[in-house]
Amino acid sequence: PVCAARYHTIHELVDEGTNGLLFDNAKELATCLLALFQEFGEEDSRLQRLRSGARSSGQIRWADNWEKNAQPVFLGEYDR
């Protein structure tokens, strides 16, 4: 799992709450980290759920992500 700075295209890599958490500033980063470690060691902790989501989302291959997100932009097929 990851704690990542929020920016326009981060959703291509991080599905917030599924494989990571997003933040806009240092205070939000601190909140994310505290939330992850608050239940540390518990079987169904937020960290464990994010780990599971990261494993699942890690199965997506680069080519699949390209075809879904980048290729339509380059081919002029992108819906805004």
Side-chain angles (χ1 to χ4, degrees):
V2 64
C3 289
R6 187 183 316 272
Y7 60 92
H8 183 67
T9 58
I10 191 66
H11 68 277
E12 294 175 10
L13 300 173
V14 179
D15 182 6
E16 188 167 20
T18 300
N19 65 353
L21 301 174
L22 301 175
F23 63 90
D24 289 309
N25 54 49
K27 184 175 181 177
E28 289 181 8
L29 172 59
T31 300
C32 289
L33 293 173
L34 288 173
L36 290 177
F37 292 111
Q38 190 172 20
E39 302 170 333
F40 187 78
E42 294 182 22
E43 189 172 316
D44 190 35
S45 69
R46 189 172 195 178
L47 181 58
Q48 291 289 20
R49 291 189 302 271
L50 290 173
R51 281 181 182 160
S52 177
R55 284 187 197 106
S56 296
S57 65
Q59 300 300 316
I60 299 170
R61 301 285 182 213
W62 183 89
D64 297 330
N65 199 27
W66 169 266
E67 289 173 6
K68 179 182 173 190
N69 295 294
Q71 187 175 8
V73 174
F74 288 98
L75 296 177
E77 301 168 358
Y78 181 69
D79 276 335
R80 292 182 182 185

